[in-house]
Amino acid sequence: LDLNQKVDCDILEGHVDALLQKIRRKYREYSIDEKPFIVIKANQGPQARGFLTLRDTKDLKNLHLSQHQENQTPYKGELILQEGIRTHERINDVVAEPVVHMIDRYVVGGYYRVHAQLRDDEGLAAPGSHFVPLAFASQAHLPQLGEAPGRHEPNRFYMYGVIARLAMLAGKIGRAHV
């Protein structure tokens, strides 16, 4: 897309509106009491970074107008629209997102990406972020069997590992259908 062109801005606005409507329906279906948002990323492969968080198509119009007022060059290229997911993890009251490293299907480690100046609805891969190792009281790879739920700290290594494996599988399935 060339965001200098009105027709391309209209196309982007249509896609943003359709995705937000779809997410809002799912939020209602699952009784999620948060305002949905999407992130627009420049399609640069694994290095794709979000550059805009939107909760409404009006936000997109305001951005386009402000770029022309400030003589900034609007983006030109492929864009990825993605559902925004809030980061609920905190380290010392600062928003943190887990990053998991895998070799093949095995989780081998990870860290938290932490950024004191950003909110829980912004990507933390930005200048000013720092990294904190994932610390675990227990290095067990499985849940504590036989223990009452909620009695111990959650095994984050296990939880993040399950999510990472599902994401890896979804990525493989998605590439197989392209």
Side-chain angles (χ1 to χ4, degrees), residues 61-77:
K61 288 179 183 179
N62 293 339
L63 170 81
H64 189 66
L65 290 173
S66 70
Q67 284 178 330
H68 286 291
Q69 291 169 352
E70 297 171 18
N71 295 323
Q72 295 177 359
T73 304
Y75 181 77
K76 187 176 186 178

Side-chain angles (χ1 to χ4, degrees), residues 136-155:
F136 307 102
S138 167
Q139 286 294 352
H141 296 284
L142 298 172
Q144 301 297 317
L145 300 176
E147 293 287 335
R151 227 184 122 147
H152 293 283
E153 278 290 313
N155 186 340

Side-chain angles (χ1 to χ4, degrees), residues 8 13 38 45 72 112 140:
D8 285 357
E13 184 179 330
I38 65 169
Q72 295 177 359
Y112 285 105

